Amino acid sequence: MAPPMLERRQYKIGKYDIVAQPANGSMHMLRYTVMLEGRRLGALLSVPTESDCRFLEAPPAVPPLKIFSVTYRPGRPKKGAQRPGGAEPEQGPTIPWSIKGQR
């Protein structure tokens, strides 16, 4: 004996209409379709909250993608390549109170 199919239900959350109907290929999961003034905003497989419905109505702005050439950083320099900014080696600061002859 097969379990009974779930039937279609309709209810409201705030100003949003929710239509719950069986998901394709499943006998126990429901697909919740969110509608606003007869217009379909989206569908979820979990019970939506009013916050979820607001997110479907007005999703946040997505920043533009960064260009690859801006984010690309080359690898290690070649052997024997000149250092950028000068060829002289850096020396540490001189400390006048250091012990003479100590390395």
Side-chain angles (χ1 to χ4, degrees):
M1 179 174 164
M5 289 288 290
L6 295 174
E7 56 196 44
R8 182 178 168 150
R9 295 184 308 164
Q10 189 168 357
Y11 59 95
K12 285 184 79 76
I13 294 180
K15 63 180 182 178
Y16 303 98
D17 293 316
I18 310 296
V19 178
Q21 57 191 3
N24 291 339
S26 177
M27 297 180 75
H28 66 281
M29 287 184 67
L30 293 174
R31 184 180 72 199
Y32 298 90
T33 305
V34 180
M35 302 182 78
L36 176 65
E37 299 171 358
R39 186 176 57 122
R40 182 182 183 271
L41 297 178
L44 303 165
L45 286 176
S46 60
V47 180
T49 61
E50 190 170 0
S51 174
D52 295 332
C53 297
R54 271 190 254 122
F55 182 83
L56 288 172
E57 182 182 8
V62 178
L65 293 174
K66 288 190 176 186
I67 301 169
F68 177 74
S69 63
V70 174
T71 59
Y72 174 71
R73 295 184 63 201
R76 296 175 56 94
K78 304 279 187 218
K79 282 188 176 178
Q82 295 291 326
R83 286 180 164 240
E88 60 187 55
E90 292 184 24
Q91 293 182 353
T94 57
I95 304 173
W97 60 84
S98 63
I99 302 171
K100 293 187 185 213
Q102 184 179 5
R103 289 185 181 186

